[in-house]
Amino acid sequence: MKNYDDLVAIFTGIDNPEEMEIFFREIFTPKELKDLTLRWQLLKELHEGRPQRKIAEKYHISLCKITRGSKILKNEPSITRAILDKYYGKKSRR
Amino acid sequence: MKNYDDLVAIFTGIDNPEEMEIFFREIFTPKELKDLTLRWQLLKELHEGRPQRKIAEKYHISLCKITRGSKILKNEPSITRAILDKYYGKKSRR
DNA sequence: TTAATTGTTTCTTTAAAGAGAAACAAGGAG
DNA sequence: CTCCTTGTTTCTCTTTAAAGAAACAATTAA
């Protein structure tokens, strides 16, 4: 789809963090940004090997939401896992 | 916030469209991707000067959703408007 | 200045997302 | 093997978001 491809290209083309940050606040709703940052936090903790139930009670969210995240990391290949490895250190798979 | 800044940095750091596309599908829900592409379409049409009511009936969405979009383009400075100008041609302001 | 068009905001109703609880599955430790 | 921890899925119920309609404001053209 054209719009989707355009968006991907636009995000790819922005190489300045300040610009990206403004674009984030313009193009995403406050709720989406909140969801997205929480999701990233979950992915980080899953990546570190923390049990899903611990994460669920820590953030008061339901387990089913976390299972979704864990599937991302099990994708083969998972770009997200590669990024987590790169930014926060490689972790052993489980 | 650290997670948010990290995310901005990560999106900024990806310079390959294929990688970005995979990351999109991993990190966003299907609904968010659908919402995002529709939002981009609306912004494009607003940018072209199409009346909000025309857009609303075309996509069967409510006007309040569009007004939000129009505010983005009225921001000063608006990164989104700059991007639309760059990608789809500069339009006169209204 | 008046009428028509367009933009913005608010309200109510409908639809969808998420929490909470619980059941079931899978793996590991004793 | 049995128990315990953890992961996954399903269900119901509550909360939240979006549509639809309508009112009001702003702008433009005659």
Side-chain angles (χ1 to χ4, degrees), chain A residues 34-57:
Chain A
K34 187 165 146 286
D35 287 349
L36 192 60
T37 50
L38 175 59
R39 195 174 301 149
W40 190 247
Q41 179 68 34
L42 302 184
L43 286 167
K44 266 169 64 179
E45 301 206 14
L46 284 171
H47 183 251
E48 288 167 2
R50 183 186 293 264
Q52 295 187 10
R53 276 179 176 74
K54 288 267 167 54
I55 300 174
E57 46 185 81

Side-chain angles (χ1 to χ4, degrees), chain B residues 4-43:
Chain B
Y4 178 68
D5 292 342
D6 282 2
L7 271 171
V8 169
I10 287 162
F11 273 93
T12 307
I14 299 177
D15 58 359
N16 175 297
E18 286 75 27
E19 198 175 325
M20 181 67 84
E21 202 278 326
I22 297 173
F23 189 53
F24 261 45
R25 275 188 286 109
E26 287 185 349
I27 201 74
F28 295 120
T29 65
K31 181 179 189 302
E32 283 168 346
L33 288 181
K34 187 165 147 284
D35 288 349
L36 192 60
T37 51
L38 174 59
R39 196 175 301 149
W40 190 248
Q41 179 67 35
L42 302 185
L43 286 167

Side-chain angles (χ1 to χ4, degrees), chain A residues 40 47 78-93:
Chain A
W40 190 247
H47 183 251
S78 166
I79 292 278
T80 303
R81 177 158 43 74
I83 290 170
L84 286 162
D85 285 344
K86 180 179 159 192
Y87 276 76
Y88 306 108
K90 203 175 188 106
K91 297 294 190 304
S92 61
R93 304 287 295 287

